[in-house]
Amino acid sequence: GAGARHDDAIAGGGDAPGGGDNAGDFNNNNGRRARRFQGGYASINDENINDVFNERIRAARNEIERREQEIALGGGNADARRCITCAQELITELESARDGRLNVTTLSGTVRVNAFKIERDPTTWKEAMESADRNEWVKSLQQEIDGLLGKGTWTVVDTVPKGANLIDCKIVPKVKRNPDGSIERRKVRVAARGFKQKPGEDFDPENVYAPTLKMVTCRVLLAMAAIFGFTVKAADITQAYLNGDIDKTVYLQTYNRNGDKVLARLEKALYGLVQSGKIWQDHLFKTLRGKFGMENTSADENVFWRRKDGNFIALLIFVDDILFVGSNKHEVDKMTKELSKVYGLRDLGKPQTYLGLNVNVEEPGTVKLGAASYIKRKAEEFGRDQVGGPLVPITDYLFGLEKGSGVDGYRSIIGSLQYAACTTRPDLAFALSELARFQDKATDAHMNKAIKALDYAHRFKDKEIVYRRNATRPELRLRANSLTTSPPR
């Protein structure tokens, strides 16, 4: 409705597409409006939170003044009056929140004026221990340590040899979520601080490169699955890195199952070490070639395939996440079971997510690939999940804007959207190519444009790439337009 879009215009600096005379009807609901109003991005702390409120109040008052002038000149209509009413009520709400510190949550340096508190997943062990789910995290840590000890990851020692490089570890909590945002499980990983390793002593700098799966390869195989009606199954390998033996003598300060620090000599390729990815990849590739008779493609090292008795099967590997794509369901199930005998493999069945993306395999012959969950999570991180977005990601070139010295959070928004653009959302590509040119010289004006691109992505987060076996092939038409005066490059 008009009120919601007028709120967005006030919040984002008054240039939100979709407002104005054609905005539609206004739903006068204070709760809804309060949830929709997020304001622009602002790095804040408790000392300057009042400044943020005052800035939003001034923006609302400026909007009122602009609409009143529009009415005075005879150009206003009922929509302009509704916008004034909306802004006046918004000012009242903001002043109440400012004076009483009501409905204010500070998350990751982002101010959010919201009727609801959105809890942030812990990113450090200290945060996990201070959360309401402390006992669940402790259990997850004990399970992780038990798994590490069960695989003989390290040998506890009393002392470390004189002159040896001692590397400490970090406990990393991670909440694994389902596509709908609900919690699947809480996972804890003990990772070494590999940046403290010394080249030549703790690892061979010439033998650490381990490439990962190309997203274009993933899309091609999923398209093949739709066209030929192949079976698609997902799996992940538990504590994958620990299957490889460490190639150097490395000493750690790590943890026991009670969370107490201990000294140890490393035996396996622990997460966090510079060479661990390469060691694991070599181990897995050797197993697939030798035990299963598979070979990888020349275009992508992380795609292994095999054709046997007329049955085709391919494995798409991203570190420890695997997609099985095969022409025969029985052979896919058999391959999964055989691989689980070698590694601790979790059979996830028909994939719902892969690499943070939403995967929907519909029978027969339809595969959908989207980024709704990823975009929603990013919108929540930046406090834009309750904002109505524009109809297009960008409306003009940015070279006319005055250059600055950078804005906190600008790079994060661009980088977050870049992953979606490179995987399932090519409609964001042009906007990001323009926005990315100003990462070191962005201003608040550039930031507002980046926020609008994020709002657009969130508004249309459910857009998907759809591969169908019986898809029609429409005639491809190309229409080109050029500017009479090209913008400066």
Side-chain angles (χ1 to χ4, degrees), residues 422-466:
C422 292
T423 52
T424 66
R425 296 296 301 271
D427 54 323
L428 296 171
F430 174 76
L432 293 176
S433 70
E434 293 294 310
L435 293 166
R437 299 167 189 242
F438 303 92
Q439 296 192 61
D440 61 338
K441 46 186 176 289
T443 64
D444 289 340
H446 293 93
M447 189 62 177
N448 282 332
K449 298 295 184 182
I451 290 173
K452 292 302 177 185
L454 176 61
D455 292 346
Y456 163 83
H458 184 255
R459 176 174 182 171
F460 298 103
K461 63 182 181 295
D462 294 323
K463 284 182 175 292
E464 299 174 311
I465 295 177
V466 181

Side-chain angles (χ1 to χ4, degrees), residues 241 246 268-281:
Y241 280 16
I246 195 69
K268 299 290 185 179
L270 186 64
Y271 285 93
L273 295 180
V274 176
Q275 68 268 45
S276 291
K278 175 64 173 175
I279 293 173
W280 157 242
Q281 188 175 81

Side-chain angles (χ1 to χ4, degrees), residues 41-69:
Y41 181 92
S43 295
I44 70 157
N45 51 38
D46 289 340
E47 285 73 22
N48 67 357
I49 191 170
N50 279 334
D51 293 339
V52 176
F53 277 114
N54 292 333
E55 178 186 349
R56 304 297 175 247
I57 291 171
R58 282 195 298 271
R61 287 173 176 164
N62 290 339
E63 182 71 9
I64 291 174
E65 182 178 352
R66 186 172 73 86
R67 294 294 181 173
E68 287 177 342
Q69 291 177 354

Side-chain angles (χ1 to χ4, degrees), residues 65-376:
E65 182 178 352
R66 186 172 73 86
R67 294 294 181 173
E68 287 177 342
Q69 291 177 354
E70 183 180 333
I71 293 173
L73 293 174
N77 57 12
D79 284 331
R81 294 185 177 89
R82 283 196 292 268
C83 181
I84 291 174
T85 301
C86 167
Q88 288 171 338
E89 294 178 355
L90 188 58
I91 289 172
T92 301
E93 294 172 0
L94 287 171
E95 288 176 340
S96 298
R98 178 195 62 190
D99 298 336
R101 298 292 175 89
L102 302 176
N103 300 330
V104 179
T105 306
T106 305
L107 301 179
S108 301
T110 305
V111 62
R112 305 189 61 188
V113 183
N114 206 316
F116 302 101
K117 178 179 179 180
I118 297 180
E119 296 183 0
R120 182 170 61 91
D121 294 339
T123 57
T124 66
W125 186 243
K126 180 180 179 182
E127 290 179 0
M129 290 296 93
E130 292 174 351
S131 70
D133 302 314
R134 182 181 187 278
N135 293 336
E136 295 295 326
W137 288 114
V138 171
K139 291 180 181 178
S140 297
L141 174 62
Q142 292 174 345
Q143 292 173 359
E144 172 73 2
I145 297 296
D146 290 343
L148 293 171
L149 296 177
K151 288 182 176 289
T153 306
W154 58 64
T155 301
V156 176
V157 298
D158 296 327
T159 59
V160 174
K162 185 177 180 180
N165 183 30
L166 182 63
I167 301 170
D168 59 343
C169 293
K170 180 180 181 180
I171 303 176
V172 183
K174 176 68 175 179
V175 176
K176 294 287 187 177
R177 295 187 178 275
N178 296 310
D180 61 0
S182 61
I183 295 177
E184 176 199 353
R185 60 193 173 104
R186 292 175 178 84
K187 182 178 180 180
V188 170
R189 177 161 286 165
V190 176
R193 295 177 183 267
F195 60 87
K196 293 188 176 182
Q197 289 180 266
K198 295 180 179 179
E201 179 181 338
D202 299 318
F203 68 94
D204 178 6
E206 301 297 325
N207 193 32
V208 296
Y209 176 66
T212 55
L213 178 71
K214 300 175 184 177
M215 186 49 62
V216 64
T217 310
C218 181
R219 290 195 296 265
V220 167
L221 266 293
L222 290 177
M224 288 177 59
I227 294 170
F228 299 108
F230 288 169
T231 296
V232 181
K233 177 181 281 192
D236 67 15
I237 298 176
T238 306
Q239 297 180 320
Y241 280 16
L242 306 182
N243 290 284
D245 296 329
I246 195 69
D247 57 350
K248 296 285 185 178
T249 301
V250 177
Y251 288 93
L252 292 175
Q253 183 183 66
T254 184
Y255 300 88
N256 59 23
R257 70 188 316 272
N258 296 323
D260 299 325
K261 294 181 179 180
V262 296
L263 297 177
R265 183 181 66 252
L266 195 61
E267 308 292 346
K268 299 290 185 179
L270 186 64
Y271 285 93
L273 295 180
V274 176
Q275 68 268 45
S276 291
K278 175 64 173 175
I279 293 173
W280 157 242
Q281 188 175 81
D282 288 347
H283 192 283
L284 177 61
F285 286 10
K286 182 179 179 180
T287 300
L288 292 177
R289 293 190 184 105
K291 187 176 181 62
F292 296 95
M294 305 187 79
E295 58 181 295
N296 52 345
T297 65
S298 58
D300 194 327
E301 294 181 54
N302 288 274
V303 176
F304 277 77
W305 68 281
R306 182 182 70 191
R307 188 182 297 277
K308 184 178 179 181
D309 299 330
N311 297 316
F312 170 82
I313 187 169
L315 272 63
L316 288 76
I317 303 166
F318 191 95
V319 188
D320 56 358
D321 294 314
I322 301 177
L323 276 185
F324 297 82
V325 179
S327 59
N328 186 296
K329 184 178 183 303
H330 173 73
E331 288 297 319
V332 171
D333 292 339
K334 181 180 177 181
M335 178 71 181
T336 306
K337 292 179 181 178
E338 290 177 351
L339 193 60
S340 65
K341 295 177 182 178
V342 182
Y343 302 111
L345 186 143
R346 286 199 316 145
D347 186 345
L348 303 177
K350 188 179 295 186
Q352 293 182 307
T353 61
Y354 188 65
L355 307 182
L357 305 176
N358 299 90
V359 182
N360 185 6
V361 180
E362 300 178 355
E363 300 295 346
T366 300
V367 177
K368 298 179 179 180
L369 189 63
S373 298
Y374 173 81
I375 293 174
K376 179 181 178 182

